[in-house]
């Protein structure tokens, strides 16, 4: 998702101690997607697929990075480099060599659960300048969910193939693929293992999606309960895709209380309508193990909304091939989900063309 660019009195393109152009968190040359915290001269986030982008004619860049994460670096929307940082690093990345202005994008493709990453500085290696992206999107979409929305383990070839860190690529999850396909600004507010009112196997019961959704960086909530709350004025989506409840009703019982779940879901919809007047919703469900009781519950929520006169939402169920890490959708399933949901979202957002 895109946060509002942070403006100060002057454009924060500054000279670093080495003389190359650099920018910090006050720069309007950076466009952000995902929930970011801009403080103490750093950009910090815990969101999956959080991105920053800028335009430049430079041939190389230097990123100061803190925290554990896997990254994808794009040139004009196409992957150029994948790399990972385990704690703290200065990462040099090559740009285009033709001397023309290009659009660059850094995507955090791993999940920070728990944790976060920070970027204190981005510098040009050699000559060149930073420019704000020349095209502004008029489309905004948000995704609220759990591991399916994150893209958890989607690179795994079987249930035990690797670790969540090594096999999760949020840039190949259906949420990012849809936002990118529509060329929309976006937020992916999803946390693996969390339910709306009950987490998978009742892990960290005090930190469900109901509470985490209110925070700027949900990944640090367990370590820092006073982490800042999100300012909902920063980003007003036109479409919100809600895919919650898998962890409320999957795995070993006891499951979430159905009445509590429905009440929390309805409250979430009401709060989102107040925060984003005119927003449209897509409510999603899928088959869960062992009782497959999520879909009738979400469908009943949808039916209740329609009966109450709400015309701003649609409901969709889909089935995925959960053959990736720990029984999650694989890359092909995420692509199929993208194809299934694209026309529905296009209709809700009135985005009839790419």
């Amino acid at each position: 998702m895109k946060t509002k660019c942070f403006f100060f009195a002057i454009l924060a393109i500054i000279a670093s101690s080495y003389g190359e152009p650099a920018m910090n968190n006050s720069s309007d040359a950076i466009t952000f997607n995902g929930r970011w915290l801009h403080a103490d001269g750093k950009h910090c986030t815990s969101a999956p697929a959080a991105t920053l982008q800028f335009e430049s004619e430079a041939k190389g860049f230097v990123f100061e990075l803190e925290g554990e994460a896997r990254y994808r670096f794009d040139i004009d929307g196409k992957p150029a480099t994948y790399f990972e940082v385990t704690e703290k690093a200065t990462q040099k990345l090559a740009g285009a060599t033709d001397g023309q202005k290009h659009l660059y994008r850094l995507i955090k493709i791993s999940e920070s659960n728990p944790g976060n990453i920070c970027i204190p500085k981005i510098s040009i290696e050699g000559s060149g300048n930073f420019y704000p992206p020349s095209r502004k999107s008029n489309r905004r979409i948000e995704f609220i969910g759990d591991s399916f929305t994150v893209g958890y383990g989607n690179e795994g070839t079987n249930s035990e193939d690797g670790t969540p860190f090594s096999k999760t690529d949020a840039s190949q999850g259906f949420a990012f693929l849809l936002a990118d396909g529509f060329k929309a600004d976006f937020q992916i507010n999803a946390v693996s293992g969390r339910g709306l009112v009950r987490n998978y196997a009742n892990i960290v019961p005090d930190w469900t999606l109901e509470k985490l959704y209110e925070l700027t960086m949900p990944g640090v909530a367990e370590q820092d309960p006073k982490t800042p709350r999100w300012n909902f004025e920063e980003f007003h989506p036109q479409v919100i895709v809600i895919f919650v409840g898998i962890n409320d009703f999957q795995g070993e019982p006891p499951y979430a209380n159905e009445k509590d779940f429905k009440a929390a879901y309805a409250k979430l919809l009401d709060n989102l309508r107040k925060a984003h007047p005119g927003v449209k919703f897509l409510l999603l469900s899928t088959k869960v193990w062992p009782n497959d009781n999520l879909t009738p519950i979400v469908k009943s929520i949808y039916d209740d909304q329609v009966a109450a006169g709400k015309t701003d939402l649609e409901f969709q169920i889909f089935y995925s091939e959960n053959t990736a890490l720990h029984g999650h959708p694989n890359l092909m399933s995420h692509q199929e989900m993208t194809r299934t949901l694209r026309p529905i979202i296009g209709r809700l957002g009135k985005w009839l063309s790419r």
Side-chain angles (χ1 to χ4, degrees), residues 97 103 125 142 171 197 199 209 237 242 248 256 265 277 296 312 348:
T97 59
L103 179 64
E125 187 176 28
E142 178 180 0
S171 72
V197 298
N199 296 332
L209 287 174
I242 302 178
D248 292 271
Y265 206 124
D312 56 1
L348 287 169

Side-chain angles (χ1 to χ4, degrees), residues 65 69-73 81-85 91 93 106:
L65 302 166
R70 294 173 65 220
Y71 293 93
R72 168 180 142 187
F73 182 62
T81 305
Y82 290 86
F83 65 95
E84 68 179 59
V85 173
Q91 184 75 33
L93 297 169
L106 185 70

Side-chain angles (χ1 to χ4, degrees), residues 24-53:
N24 64 9
N25 66 312
S26 63
S27 177
D28 64 0
I30 314 175
T31 301
F32 296 91
N33 279 284
R35 289 186 181 179
W36 291 78
L37 176 65
H38 305 270
D40 301 323
K42 299 180 180 182
H43 317 281
C44 298
T45 185
S46 65
T51 73
L52 60 79
Q53 64 184 32

Side-chain angles (χ1 to χ4, degrees), residues 287-317:
K287 182 180 178 64
V288 297
W289 177 90
N291 298 325
D292 197 20
N293 52 358
L294 175 62
T295 294
I297 293 173
V298 177
K299 180 60 163 58
S300 70
I301 293 170
Y302 169 77
D303 291 340
D304 289 345
Q305 293 279 313
V306 172
K310 304 298 183 182
T311 60
D312 56 1
L313 71 175
E314 292 195 24
F315 168 77
Q316 178 69 32
I317 179 174

Side-chain angles (χ1 to χ4, degrees), residues 15 59 74 114 167 181 217 270-272 306 324 334 337:
K59 297 180 180 180
D74 288 2
K167 294 297 181 177
M217 290 196 295
D270 288 343
N271 289 342
L272 290 171
V306 172
H334 278 278
M337 283 187 268

Side-chain angles (χ1 to χ4, degrees), residues 100-138:
Q100 302 299 309
K101 188 164 64 174
H102 293 270
L103 179 64
Y104 295 95
R105 179 170 64 179
L106 185 70
I107 311 167
K108 184 176 78 68
I109 65 174
S110 58
E111 184 179 14
S112 300
N113 180 22
N116 68 299
I117 63 100
C118 291
I119 305 176
K121 191 172 77 170
I122 309 167
S123 304
I124 285 175
E125 187 176 28
S127 62
N129 296 284
F130 293 108
Y131 306 92
S134 55
R135 293 183 59 188
K136 298 286 187 179
S137 178
N138 61 356

Side-chain angles (χ1 to χ4, degrees), residues 1 3 22 53 85 98 102 157 219 222 229 262 282 293 330 340:
M1 116 256 162
T3 65
Q53 64 184 32
V85 173
D98 59 6
H102 293 270
T157 58
E222 296 171 44
R229 297 175 65 85
K262 293 177 69 173
L282 175 56
N293 52 358
N330 57 21
T340 299

